[in-house]
Amino acid sequence: MSSIRSYKGISPEVGERVYVDSSSILVGDIKIGDDSSIWPLVAARGDVNHIHIGQRSNVQDGSVLHVTHKNKENPNGYPLIIGDDVTIGHKVMLHGCTIHNRVLVGMGAIVLDGVVIQDEVMIGAGSLVPPKKVLESGYLYVGSPVKKARPLSDKERAFLQKSSDNYVQNKNDYIEDVNSV
């Protein structure tokens, strides 16, 4: 069975030069932008709402991506939106949230329904972002539940783009290696 599956006649759409590891599962209404990567054992289910992953973003090993259904109290539900140049660390849980551009979500973090993460944010490993919280641009957030720890340094802001760039090169290496076999 393919790792890219349709659901109710809707299939994931994958952009140009995207790496999707064969052990990951993408189901339903999912769009992935150019030069992004989905690493081993990622489960992304766009069944009761949609998932959009921007360009040059990476979702690392063992992460789970899901959405919240539309209902009377919340007519739009909560889709999962990931911007450009975003790094999602290993074993992250994202559920019905919006992540803007140049964000790093640390390993094992959990981000819940209705959360909005503005541009240039770092979330520490193991953090819990509770429902409907807004994380302001330019800060490090840590803890369970997360708290604003401090402003990001210029070096950390530059690292957000560097992390994305590194994963674009890494996925290019994987694509080249697969094509050479």
Side-chain angles (χ1 to χ4, degrees):
M1 187 173 276
S2 172
S3 66
I4 298 177
R5 302 178 191 168
S6 67
Y7 177 76
K8 293 188 175 182
I10 301 172
S11 296
E13 296 178 21
V14 176
E16 308 251 339
R17 301 168 309 280
V18 170
Y19 175 74
V20 177
D21 190 84
S22 62
S23 69
S24 63
I25 305 293
L26 306 179
V27 179
D29 193 356
I30 300 173
K31 291 182 177 61
I32 302 174
D34 297 346
D35 285 313
S36 289
S37 53
I38 306 295
W39 295 94
L41 303 174
V42 169
R45 194 158 43 95
D47 52 0
V48 297
N49 216 320
H50 66 277
I51 296 172
H52 181 269
I53 300 170
Q55 297 182 33
R56 298 172 307 281
S57 290
N58 60 87
V59 181
Q60 296 174 22
D61 314 53
S63 292
V64 175
L65 284 57
H66 197 230
V67 293
T68 302
H69 68 284
K70 301 169 187 176
N71 59 59
K72 195 181 299 184
E73 294 80 33
N74 185 6
N76 295 320
Y78 290 112
L80 174 58
I81 310 296
I82 299 172
D84 297 336
D85 301 301
V86 174
T87 296
I88 305 298
H90 306 286
K91 289 186 71 179
V92 167
M93 171 88 58
L94 300 178
H95 202 277
C97 56
T98 298
I99 301 172
H100 288 236
N101 304 314
R102 294 172 310 285
V103 170
L104 184 144
V105 180
M107 294 181 283
I110 299 171
V111 184
L112 297 174
D113 292 359
V115 166
V116 175
I117 301 170
Q118 297 177 350
D119 291 348
E120 296 188 342
V121 166
M122 284 186 174
I123 299 172
S127 294
L128 170 66
V129 186
K132 299 183 182 177
K133 188 161 182 75
V134 175
L135 303 189
E136 185 182 346
S137 181
Y139 288 90
L140 168 67
Y141 290 82
V142 296
S144 183
V146 292
K147 290 184 175 45
K148 188 188 291 184
R150 60 173 172 74
L152 295 177
S153 68
D154 290 342
K155 186 176 181 179
E156 288 168 324
R157 284 180 183 253
F159 177 77
L160 295 170
Q161 185 65 53
K162 184 177 181 180
S163 177
S164 172
D165 292 344
N166 286 341
Y167 268 89
V168 169
Q169 182 57 55
N170 200 18
K171 69 93 187 155
N172 287 342
D173 293 344
Y174 270 74
I175 289 171
E176 185 178 310
D177 192 54
V178 167
N179 290 335
S180 70
V181 174

